[in-house]
Amino acid sequence: MRGRKPLPTNIIDMRGGTKHTHRPPRDGEPKPPSTIPKCPRHLDREARAEWRRMAKELLPLGILATIDKAVFAIYCEAFSTWAKASQKIQEMGMVRITKNGFAEQNPYFPIANKAKEQMMKALVELGMTPSSRSRVKTTEAPKAENKKE
């Protein structure tokens, strides 16, 4: 599909409705209830901590639902990978010397960079970046229908 990704109706409504878009309102869009999905067991300690931290932030905004479990898990897993790789970079330094005496980039840099890319993609999908939030205007916090799965 070409062009910009379509915005979910709840985001359009938070921005002031369809008067600010040049498109008619969409009918029949699924509107899953806002809830905190159950944290997947395969996530490590760092990813689980990020899951709990961000779920508390997203639930009151009404943008996290059980159906978002996979993309939210991808974000948390990428966050954990990025954090671990960043820690290794801090411990080992940015450059290492090979057996032949040549300087080379720390091998954890590509790992950290790829994890950052994955994080950013998931953050944008979930509306968690400053630019994706900048056009959202709320008058009242959406009510969470379910606290936990």
Side-chain angles (χ1 to χ4, degrees):
M1 196 159 122
R2 301 173 109 191
R4 291 184 180 180
K5 292 181 183 179
L7 291 172
T9 301
N10 66 337
I11 299 293
I12 292 171
D13 291 344
M14 288 178 180
R15 290 182 181 176
T18 55
K19 65 183 177 185
H20 297 294
T21 65
H22 300 287
R23 301 185 190 279
R26 278 181 256 139
D27 293 326
E29 180 180 339
K31 295 181 182 174
S34 180
T35 184
I36 297 174
K38 188 176 178 185
C39 185
R41 285 187 268 149
H42 72 273
L43 294 181
D44 64 20
R45 176 182 280 174
E46 186 81 30
R48 286 174 176 265
E50 183 67 0
W51 180 284
R52 287 187 298 273
R53 183 181 78 83
M54 289 308 298
K56 289 176 189 172
E57 297 288 328
L58 292 172
L59 186 64
L61 299 176
I63 53 176
L64 186 61
T66 302
I67 198 167
D68 303 318
K69 182 177 182 174
V71 73
F72 193 45
I74 289 167
Y75 160 74
C76 294
E77 195 169 50
F79 176 87
S80 175
T81 302
W82 169 74
K84 289 174 188 171
S86 295
Q87 181 64 37
K88 287 289 190 183
I89 292 167
Q90 289 174 13
E91 291 171 8
M92 298 169 61
M94 292 197 273
V95 176
R96 71 178 191 173
I97 305 300
T98 66
K99 294 176 188 175
N100 298 332
F102 294 104
E104 73 176 4
Q105 174 181 294
N106 185 320
Y108 285 96
F109 267 113
I111 295 168
N113 288 337
K114 186 66 175 177
K116 282 190 277 190
E117 287 176 25
Q118 293 169 339
M119 280 173 46
M120 288 306 298
K121 287 178 182 178
L123 287 168
V124 168
E125 288 295 322
L126 292 166
M128 293 167 52
T129 63
S131 63
S132 64
R133 283 191 318 268
S134 67
R135 291 164 290 213
V136 176
K137 294 173 179 56
T138 59
T139 54
E140 177 180 323
K143 292 180 183 178
E145 293 182 22
N146 296 318
K147 290 285 182 185
K148 292 197 177 186
E149 183 181 76

